[in-house]
Amino acid sequence: MEKQIQQQLQSFLILTRKIKSYHEAIGLLHWDLRTGAPKKGVPTRSETLGMLSTEAFKLQTSDEMKAYLEQLSQPEVLEQLEDHDRRLVQECKKEYDRSQSVPPEKVQAYTVLTAKSETAWEDAKHQSDYAGFSPYLTEIVKLKQEFIDYWGVKDTRYDTLLDMYEPDLTVEKVDAVFARLKARLVPLQEKINASGNKPKTEFLQQMFDPKQQEKFSLFILEQMGYDFEAGRLDESVHPFATGLNPGDVRITTNYLQDDVTSAIFSSLHEGGHALYEQNIDESLAGTLLAEGTSMGIHESQSRLWENMIGRSLPFWTRYYQDLQQHFPQLSEVKLEDFYRAINRVESSLIRIEADELTYNLHIIIRYEIEKMLFNEGLAVKDLPETWNAKYKEYLGIMPTNDGEGVLQDVHWSGGDFGYFASYSLGNMYAAQMMHTLRKEMPELDSLIAAGNLIPIKAWLTDKIYRYGKSRTPSELILAVTGEELNPDYLADYLEAKYTEIYNL
């Protein structure tokens, strides 16, 4: 490599590390806001977040960045770079091209608004006060529409948002995949609804000590290989994971006194996110590639651990006695009854507590509403009515208040439009990856039943985690499974699982 190019590359890497440092500080402040920061500090904290985000944005779109990218993104120069350096240049160029026309003051206003909005959402959800939250959401959607104009409209306005979370994802592709999935899952759900072989669930409707829930969650996280020297578990209104760097990946859960399963599965879910970011290769640390490659791939890891491992019979063959020790009220409940209860299929209002089958309908509802907001002119004031109508249409039930309806998710309060499709994509990616994992590790169920989860983590690290963002989602799924994303693996998995549980 020529000396001049080497010097340019080193200067470029120093600049990207500075941007990454800003992102880490911003991430830490966001984590603090959602895990117990004093309410009176929210306005000033929001302004601080806005200022730091603007500084990072200015660096990403600076003349200095432009000069490095003009030099390093030339084809003959890219060929000389190491793989991860080439990928970093390409990622930064994509971000620069998309964002260089956005005024920094818009970024600052948006960041301040969403920081305040997330805090306002917590109160609004608790009080079921959509009217009080609506002004925040109206302004967020307005700014998001302005950003779409700056970024450049793709095939549709909503396509622009989808691409932020899943590169090259389009409405056309998502519509096709969801239609293919629905064609398999709706008949399966109808068979289950008609089955007389319903699981008993009344034993789950008891009071469960939150302190014991926390102890069990910590135990399970340790079993799956979560490194507590590189992370921590806290409580928040809505569970989430925050990856500051591979040595500091924090997660939260929420303990419901009358539901022992909620914290268990949200801990497994967020733990899956955390394992991904804790195990990114050290060579990527400090760079903008030290994160998940897309939200769909990220969700594949959380859903794989939460459902395909955490709701499996081999998993509870090993860990059910531990759960009974923490909660003696389950001591008379048989393992098979517990397993069937946690895998019951029924229409429910809350997405994060939905079963694996109907969960995808929760996602399709949100996806269709977001398309209506950005492509069809749906007004923010009409969201509750639209939400309730779609729940009636898809799940046959209606929320009794907006807290369990349109206000249940944190995502829109942070401006994360285009995100929700990633959850169902994650289910599809996960099923496809598990199919490959079973072929390469025939003893998988025996390992899980013995509580030996570390070989699974090692396989995932080798195939997925270590690459961070240095491979695209399509490159990754092709390398791991030998084919492009295929929704049939998810449908096959769900059909096999629920045919057995419901004796269809």
Side-chain angles (χ1 to χ4, degrees):
M1 188 186 299
E2 295 178 17
K3 185 175 181 181
Q4 182 187 1
I5 295 174
Q6 183 66 43
Q7 290 173 341
Q8 286 278 82
L9 177 62
Q10 291 306 312
S11 298
F12 166 74
L13 292 174
I14 289 170
L15 177 59
T16 59
R17 286 194 183 98
K18 187 174 183 180
I19 295 169
K20 181 66 175 176
S21 295
Y22 272 106
H23 288 176
E24 181 167 338
I26 292 163
L28 184 59
L29 291 178
H30 267 297
W31 171 84
D32 184 61
L33 263 183
R34 292 168 65 184
T35 54
K39 281 192 177 182
K40 289 184 178 179
V42 169
T44 302
R45 173 64 55 80
S46 300
E47 296 294 337
T48 301
L49 279 165
M51 188 179 299
L52 290 175
S53 297
T54 304
E55 290 305 307
F57 178 80
K58 286 179 179 177
L59 291 174
Q60 287 175 320
T61 56
S62 64
D63 290 341
E64 183 183 6
M65 177 66 80
K66 180 183 179 181
Y68 293 143
L69 292 175
E70 284 178 349
Q71 175 72 28
L72 296 172
S73 62
Q74 295 176 28
E76 63 272 18
V77 176
L78 280 173
E79 288 178 4
Q80 300 179 50
L81 302 182
E82 298 286 340
D83 287 347
H84 59 272
D85 289 332
R86 184 185 311 117
R87 174 78 171 140
L88 181 58
V89 170
Q90 292 168 334
E91 276 295 305
C92 286
K93 187 172 190 312
K94 180 180 179 180
E95 184 61 39
Y96 177 86
D97 290 343
R98 179 166 54 200
S99 301
Q100 50 87 23
S101 62
V102 181
E105 61 269 20
K106 288 286 184 184
V107 175
Q108 183 159 357
Y110 176 79
T111 307
V112 172
L113 172 64
T114 51
K116 292 178 179 177
S117 172
E118 287 185 354
T119 302
W121 165 80
E122 291 189 9
D123 290 335
K125 177 183 176 179
H126 181 68
Q127 298 166 14
S128 189
D129 179 19
Y130 185 76
F133 180 68
S134 181
Y136 291 96
L137 194 54
T138 300
E139 190 61 25
I140 288 171
V141 171
K142 177 175 174 287
L143 279 172
K144 211 74 174 183
Q145 293 280 26
E146 291 181 29
F147 284 143
I148 291 172
D149 289 326
Y150 288 123
W151 291 327
V153 178
K154 294 184 178 292
D155 291 343
T156 73
R157 300 184 70 80
Y158 190 58
D159 281 296
T160 306
L161 299 180
L162 286 174
D163 184 66
M164 306 288 287
Y165 298 97
E166 198 71 15
D168 303 320
L169 190 65
T170 64
V171 165
E172 184 180 8
K173 290 178 182 176
V174 178
D175 284 350
V177 168
F178 279 172
R180 194 165 151 190
L181 195 61
K182 278 198 293 186
R184 297 275 302 273
L185 299 191
V186 170
L188 176 60
Q189 186 178 3
E190 289 172 350
K191 287 181 183 177
I192 291 171
N193 290 342
S195 169
N197 193 26
K198 306 276 195 245
K200 298 175 183 176
T201 60
E202 61 275 3
F203 51 80
L204 294 178
Q205 296 155 12
Q206 303 184 61
M207 302 303 284
F208 298 91
D209 182 5
K211 290 294 183 186
Q212 290 300 315
Q213 291 188 49
E214 181 182 17
K215 287 180 181 178
F216 189 76
S217 294
L218 290 167
F219 167 66
I220 290 298
L221 287 166
E222 184 179 31
Q223 289 288 297
M224 64 193 284
Y226 179 73
D227 184 356
F228 281 97
E229 292 188 357
R232 52 185 288 158
L233 176 66
D234 292 274
E235 189 172 5
S236 64
V237 174
H238 192 107
F240 68 97
T242 294
L244 303 176
N245 61 66
D248 190 349
V249 186
R250 307 174 183 206
I251 62 176
T252 71
T253 191
N254 188 21
Y255 306 108
L256 303 178
Q257 199 164 9
D258 59 351
D259 184 356
V260 71
T261 63
S262 180
I264 293 171
F265 292 117
S266 67
S267 296
L268 280 161
H269 181 100
E270 303 307 337
H273 280 307
L275 288 185
Y276 191 170
E277 299 217 3
Q278 282 187 342
N279 292 283
I280 291 172
D281 193 88
E282 289 182 4
S283 65
L284 301 179
T287 78
L288 298 172
L289 300 180
E291 58 186 57
T293 188
S294 74
M295 288 316 305
I297 296 295
H298 232 309
E299 288 302 329
S300 76
Q301 298 314 294
S302 58
R303 304 294 286 175
L304 185 150
W305 281 100
E306 175 192 358
N307 291 326
M308 294 170 188
I309 294 174
R311 291 186 194 268
S312 71
L313 185 57
F315 184 86
W316 290 106
T317 299
R318 164 61 183 85
Y319 293 109
Y320 187 49
Q321 285 189 342
D322 293 292
L323 185 69
Q324 289 174 315
Q325 288 174 7
H326 284 80
F327 302 103
Q329 60 266 53
L330 296 175
S331 59
E332 299 301 317
V333 178
K334 294 178 181 178
L335 168 61
E336 182 185 354
D337 290 337
F338 178 80
Y339 166 69
R340 295 185 72 234
I342 62 172
N343 284 292
R344 68 194 180 280
V345 173
E346 62 183 14
S347 295
S348 61
L349 293 168
I350 307 301
R351 173 185 63 86
I352 63 171
E353 293 164 17
D355 58 81
E356 288 181 84
L357 181 57
T358 61
Y359 183 92
N360 297 287
L361 297 178
H362 288 262
I363 297 305
I364 290 171
I365 288 169
R366 287 154 176 78
Y367 166 72
E368 291 183 353
I369 289 174
E370 289 187 349
K371 280 198 301 180
M372 293 169 71
L373 268 174
F374 289 93
N375 287 351
E376 301 167 28
L378 176 66
V380 168
K381 68 179 177 60
D382 296 327
L383 275 175
E385 182 181 353
T386 304
W387 180 286
N388 293 349
K390 284 196 173 289
Y391 263 78
K392 182 68 174 175
E393 176 188 355
Y394 281 95
L395 290 161
I397 53 177
M398 291 256 298
T400 58
N401 61 68
D402 289 333
E404 63 183 18
V406 70
L407 287 172
Q408 70 176 265
D409 293 305
V410 70
H411 304 67
W412 290 348
S413 72
D416 292 332
F417 294 97
Y419 185 140
F420 278 116
S422 302
Y423 286 108
S424 276
L425 288 172
N427 288 337
M428 297 177 212
Y429 283 132
Q432 194 165 329
M433 290 169 180
M434 279 294 284
H435 179 77
T436 301
L437 175 55
R438 285 190 179 280
K439 284 197 299 185
E440 297 187 6
M441 200 180 288
E443 72 280 17
L444 178 64
D445 285 344
S446 298
L447 288 172
I448 296 172
N452 191 3
L453 306 180
I454 301 306
I456 302 171
K457 176 194 163 190
W459 188 89
L460 292 168
T461 297
D462 180 58
K463 302 287 187 179
I464 301 160
Y465 300 164
R466 65 190 177 104
Y467 293 104
K469 206 173 184 177
S470 66
R471 287 184 172 181
T472 66
S474 55
E475 288 171 345
L476 199 63
I477 194 67
L478 192 59
V480 175
T481 70
E483 61 180 301
E484 302 275 338
L485 177 63
N486 182 347
D488 289 340
Y489 287 107
L490 177 60
D492 290 345
Y493 158 76
L494 291 172
E495 284 176 354
K497 179 171 184 173
Y498 287 111
T499 295
E500 184 269 326
I501 289 174
Y502 279 84
N503 195 26
L504 300 179

